[in-house]
Every structure is written in C-alpha cells, then in structure tokens.
Amino acid sequence: MPFYQLNIPEVYRDWTFLERFPGHEELRKYIAHVDKILDLRRDTYFHARVNDASWDKSANRWTIKTQQGHVASAKYLILGAGLLHRANIPDFPGLSGYQGEVFHSAAWNEDFSAKGKKVAIIGAGSTGVQLTESLGKMADELTVFVRRPSYCCALGQRSLTAYEQHVMKRFYPVMLKAARESHAGFPVTGNDKALDDVSSEERERHWSYTWDQGGFSYGMLAYKDLFRSKEANEATYQYWRSKVATRLIDPAKFEIMAPEHKPYYFLTKRMPLEQDYYEVLNQSNVHIHDLNKSSLKSFTKKGLLMSNGTEYEFDAVVLATGFDSITGSITRIGVKNKHGVDLKDVWADGITTYMGITVSGFPNMFVPYSPQAPTPFTNAIPIIEAQVELAVDIITRVERAGAKSIEATRDAEIEWKTHLNALVEGTLFPYTDSWWNGADVPGKKKEMMAYIAGIKHYEAKCRANIEGLQGFNMVARDKV
Ligand code: NA7
C-alpha cells in the first residue's frame, strides 16, 4: 500500500486498506469492491474454462469456446490469463500412492488444519516462506524440504489507519503516476552509484538504511552494478547474510538457509518478503531438510523416502513447488494462429512476441501481463495498466482507420527478442535457474522471459513504435 492498487479514482476513493501489505482476505474484499464499482460481473462468464480460440479469416473475428459450452465472437481477443496460475507439480515417484493429504499451494484445501499434525512443505520460494511462517506455528512438527534457500528481506508490515489514507489520497494521482513511470512500479529513485564508488562506511550506512525501510527497498536501492558485478553482488549478499545471522541462530539451519558460499547470485531469483520466517525456522518443532545432501527418492504410503535411506512419515505434504510461470496459462487455452497452429506449438522453440503485447500470426490479439515485458520484475498493477493502455491505443488506431485487423510482423518480433536478449547480456541473470527464465520447470526451454529495463523504458519504447504503427501490418476494410 498504496502502490499495489488500481489507479482508478472511483475505486480508491471509497476504499481503505488495513495493512501496508494486505492479506489475502482483505485483497479478496478489495477485488469484490472493484467488481461492485466497475460492475464487471455484468460482462463475465464464471466457471468458464476456455479451450479453443480461433481466428475466422473470412469474418475477421475470433471465436472463443469454453469447456462449459459458451461460445463468444469478438473482433479483438485479450488473453488476461495470468502469470502464476498453472501449478508446477513435479513428477515425484510414488506421489499417487501416498495415503496422507497432499496438495499444491495453489489448490489449497480450505478445510486443512495443521494442528496436531506432522506436516512437510516441499519448496522454499515466496509461497514456502509464507507457509512456513503459518504452519510452523500450528503443526506439531514441520519439515521444510529445501533445494535452494530464498534470500528473504523483511516485509516491514504495519497497520494503516483510515485517517492516514484519507489524508494521503490527495496525493494518489501523483504517487501512482510516479509508480507507473518508475523502473519497478514503485516510485523510488534507484541508486546511481556502483559499489566501488563509495567507501565501506557509506555502504554499511546505505545498506542499513534500506534494510530498515523493509519491503523491497534493500533490493530496489542496491548498488547499480548488482546485476553486472560479481563483487557487488557478493557484497550485497554478505550484508544480507549478516542480517539473517542475527535472527536464525541455529547454526546448522543458518548454514542451509544462508550459506557462506551463495548458491545463486543475489536477486537473480525473486526475493520473498518475510515477517518472522527466521524465528519460526529456529523453533524446535521446525526442521529443515537440505535436498542437496540427500534428495527426494520417492513418496511412500506414509511419507517421503530420501536418497540416503531416511524415511519420514507425514500426515500432510504441501507442494510449494511453484508454477509453470508466465507462459503456462496462455499456452494451454487452445488459442490458434490464423493458420490453425496452437500458440504452444508456435512457441515450441522459444517465445516470440512483439513488445510483449502481440504475437505475429495472431491478428487482433493482445497479451497483457505477458512474457517479454517487465511483468515479473515489477509491481503487477502498473505494468498491467501500461500494457492494457498500449493495447487500447493500438485498437483505437485500428478503429479510427476503419481497418479489419492488425498484426505484428515476424521481423518486428525478431528485433524485439534481439533487443530483450541484448539487455540481459553481461548480467548475472543467465547463471540462475528461476521462474523468470523457465529453467525451474523440467522440459521448459530456458530463456529470459522478462524485459529487464523496467516499466519506464519499456513503455516509452512501445509508445514510439505504436505511434507510427511500426512493426505492424494493418488489413484495411474491403472497398465498397
Ligand atoms: P517459486 O518461487 O517458483 O518456488 C518454488 C519452490 O519449489 C522453490 O523453492 C523450488 O526450489 C522448489 N521446487 C520446485 N521443484 C522442486 C522439486 N522437484 N524438488 C524440490 N523443490 C522443488 O514459487 P512460489 O509459489 O514460492 O512463488 C511464486 C511467486 O509468487 C513468487 O516469486 C512471487 O512473485 C509470488 P528451487 O529454488 O528451484 O531450487
């Protein structure tokens, strides 16, 4: 708060949040409020799983079908299918034979109670961190199975009063505009200094200051060579480690969660925010199993068998194993290009988009919150608002021209990908497998899926291209 909300005055005018980082119950209420104000329900089919979307060449329209039997026809198609929606459930041997309760975090069993139980969590990403904080306080015994630890920063949670929000709302137009025009969707100035530009005393002061601010400040205000200099990255990691050392006091657990030799470069994988993660890990009922020392061999009827022969018994196992991120949803809804080829086959050898908004061969189709845009590196709302406005801008131009359709050229896509890859070259990102580059899902092609130069540059570049409809082919209406 206040940056993770829609920049729509009618929506924020009558809404106040309770906390700096609102919880899921509050967020659901907020979404219901948005629905009420904007009357979204009127235009929505619920429980509708799209399984086919095809372009009708003669009508110049999309036909969209759902598993439940809905059929819709539209001139424009917008795939707003989300970024972290398709669960990644690894093919664990013996999983189906396990007789306890098992579910992925994204299919949470609302009736589940960890009270009095022996529970396992597989995964230590943002979800694993949050689940550890909650389940560690409830379960009799909790064991967390960790392949790579997360480098977490403190959330800095606090309550908000309705009064302070009321006072602040005058500035929302300016604040939310600044967020939109920033790098990561939060209006911070960034850091124009490299690590070696400053003395070690100044570094300590700066790190301590940004650390104390909580949230993503430590990462967002890191020295500008964090992603290009191994030394700067190492120093940023070691300061982080020194902070964790004051909280995770069990030495064996500390060595797994904050090892002296870092298993991947700092911030080249999403940094989770935590509240009392390290205190919960200290608890005697919470255990950490390092999967690098002995890997998971199989599920058994009662639990998990490890490669060193250790057998654990659990009442429940929660899979916090992440998602087939960014492309997982849109490649599984049966959307086909004008030649009838499914998007998942079009992208079999790698993702191609134009500006992360359109895909060549798919006329009049737009993909906000998409691959090849700043999407996973930014606060979600500003990038969604930017991409939706860019799509609307293109649509408006088509309508003004009275044209039938618009489509990105293949050359423009290739140029976009070359630009995207050039931004990543020389950075530390390619060294790390993550959901940002798809390497965390077995069989998925590893490629950077994010445009790393931030929203401000992204939007400016897109606007310049759209201005002259550069990189597009427009099909005019038939002459009468
Ligand atoms: P993440 O961040 O992708 O984390 C998934 C975790 O699951 C991560 O610790 C993985 O270890 C672990 N994982 C995945 N597959 C396995 C297998 N086969 N064995 C053991 N461990 C495994 O997903 P989250 O749901 O936590 O968070 C997703 C985003 O939601 C988050 O970044 C925020 O933006 C919100 P690994 O690190 O790959 O070694």
Side-chain angles (χ1 to χ4, degrees), residues 54-80:
S54 302
W55 176 250
D56 180 340
K57 275 186 213 156
S58 51
N60 285 293
R61 289 178 77 80
W62 284 97
T63 303
I64 300 103
K65 296 180 182 162
T66 75
Q67 227 170 43
Q68 288 71 17
H70 309 95
V71 180
S73 165
K75 181 168 176 182
Y76 300 99
L77 173 64
I78 296 177
L79 300 181

Side-chain angles (χ1 to χ4, degrees), residues 84 88 90 92 105 122-128 145 147-148 150 269-270 291 320-323 433 435 440:
L84 295 159
N88 169 41
F92 292 122
S105 62
I122 302 179
S126 301
T127 303
F145 289 81
R147 197 165 60 181
R148 288 178 300 173
S150 282
K269 208 158 98 64
R270 168 64 147 77
L291 287 167
T321 44
F323 297 84
D433 290 353
W435 67 258
D440 59 333

Side-chain angles (χ1 to χ4, degrees), residues 317-358:
V317 178
V318 182
L319 306 176
T321 44
F323 297 84
D324 180 355
S325 64
I326 308 180
T327 55
S329 301
I330 53 178
T331 54
R332 284 188 181 84
I333 58 178
V335 62
K336 299 174 188 72
N337 70 9
K338 63 186 181 188
H339 307 296
V341 183
D342 199 290
L343 182 62
K344 77 171 182 320
D345 299 318
V346 173
W347 283 355
D349 295 327
I351 301 161
T352 44
T353 74
Y354 183 37
M355 302 185 290
I357 302 177
T358 58

Side-chain angles (χ1 to χ4, degrees), residues 378-432:
T378 69
N379 174 7
I381 313 293
I383 186 61
I384 293 173
E385 290 182 339
Q387 288 193 292
V388 167
E389 283 176 27
L390 293 167
V392 169
D393 189 355
I394 298 168
I395 291 172
T396 306
R397 285 163 198 270
V398 176
E399 289 301 300
R400 258 198 231 127
K404 287 198 242 180
S405 66
I406 192 160
E407 189 191 322
T409 66
R410 185 73 187 146
D411 285 350
E413 281 191 336
I414 292 166
E415 207 176 299
W416 185 255
K417 190 158 184 167
T418 306
H419 171 54
L420 192 129
N421 289 339
L423 291 172
V424 176
E425 217 174 289
T427 69
L428 300 173
F429 290 108
Y431 294 101
T432 303

Side-chain angles (χ1 to χ4, degrees), residues 3 178-179 181-191 213 216-217 219-221:
F3 300 108
E181 290 168 359
S182 71
H183 181 88
F186 300 98
V188 291
T189 48
N191 189 340
Q213 287 178 334
F216 291 113
S217 291
M220 286 193 301
L221 296 171

